[in-house]
Amino acid sequence: MIKIPVPDYIKSLLVDDWEEVTKNLSLIPLPAPKPANMIIDEYFDEEKEKRFPGSAEMDLLEEVRAGLKEYFDVALGRTLLYRFERQQYKEAIKAWTEGKGEWKGRTCAGDVYGAEHLCRMIVQLPEMIAQTNMDGQSVNRLREEMTKFLQWLNRNTQTYFTAEYESTNQDYKDQSKGVGS
């Protein structure tokens, strides 16, 4: 299995995230001010300046950008949520489907959820990649690209990670117990 080095600070943010949601029964406010798709696009915009248009490195960057977005949308509801977040997810789907107010223009999970959920996905990538038929060279290039992305995100945690979680009321806590995992 491949190893994607996750910076220690991001690891600590993920531990804090787990505690906030599972122990303190708090939630990340949605929609995120800087959702996953925006984070990926901002990294892409910054990183593409360092690559030659039409080069293999640029093609790889574009492929990783598209793949991260697509996979995030598929993985969020299946593997990236803690049980306590599932009720919020159901409510978020309804809100982005209706598209009113702050939800206008948000059409998928990548437009709603932010850095915490994106990083949850990235730490699961090695396990997921092991189940694919990617060749060794492709796996190495993906690992290198993800390492660069995580280093960039580590330098920008203040911009992208949630500063404060929101408390939940008893109704939400009761409803979340009835939502399957």
Side-chain angles (χ1 to χ4, degrees):
M1 182 157 32
I2 72 160
K3 181 169 173 43
I4 298 174
V6 178
D8 289 341
Y9 188 62
I10 289 180
K11 286 180 189 175
S12 73
L13 290 173
L14 287 171
V15 170
D16 292 347
D17 172 57
W18 176 81
E19 286 182 358
E20 281 292 337
V21 176
T22 63
K23 302 286 186 206
N24 299 342
L25 303 180
S26 298
L27 296 169
I28 294 172
L30 297 178
K34 298 270 190 173
N37 286 345
M38 181 184 292
I39 296 167
I40 294 164
D41 286 342
E42 288 182 7
Y43 170 74
F44 174 84
D45 290 343
E46 193 172 309
E47 188 63 24
K48 75 180 181 185
E49 300 300 320
K50 302 172 188 169
R51 312 216 183 171
F52 294 107
S55 68
E57 292 81 13
M58 186 62 166
D59 290 347
L60 176 63
L61 180 63
E62 289 172 351
E63 211 173 293
V64 167
R65 174 193 195 188
L68 282 175
K69 288 180 172 188
E70 184 177 332
Y71 193 75
F72 186 81
D73 285 334
V74 171
L76 186 96
R78 295 182 183 172
T79 63
L80 303 182
L81 298 173
Y82 299 120
R83 179 180 172 92
F84 190 68
E85 294 174 305
R86 293 192 180 278
Q87 180 63 31
Q88 182 190 38
Y89 177 62
K90 288 173 81 177
E91 294 166 6
I93 291 172
K94 184 175 185 239
W96 86 56
T97 302
E98 292 173 358
K100 296 177 183 161
E102 65 185 346
W103 295 88
K104 188 176 177 123
R106 298 177 191 263
T107 59
C108 61
D111 294 334
V112 174
Y113 287 82
E116 294 80 4
H117 292 87
L118 182 58
C119 286
R120 290 182 199 175
M121 181 186 76
I122 292 170
V123 299
Q124 291 180 10
L125 277 179
E127 204 173 291
M128 296 169 206
I129 291 168
Q131 298 173 20
T132 70
N133 59 359
M134 284 178 75
D135 63 79
Q137 184 180 10
S138 297
V139 169
N140 285 335
R141 289 196 313 238
L142 178 60
R143 182 184 63 239
E144 289 169 13
E145 206 58 54
M146 295 314 307
T147 300
K148 287 180 192 176
F149 176 73
L150 285 172
Q151 290 169 345
W152 174 85
L153 190 57
N154 193 52
R155 289 190 303 272
N156 294 285
T157 54
Q158 294 281 331
T159 303
Y160 297 113
F161 282 81
T162 300
E164 290 192 29
Y165 287 66
E166 58 188 17
S167 300
T168 54
N169 60 31
Q170 193 59 47
D171 281 348
Y172 180 88
K173 291 173 186 165
D174 292 343
Q175 283 180 329
S176 71
K177 289 178 186 172
V179 177
S181 40

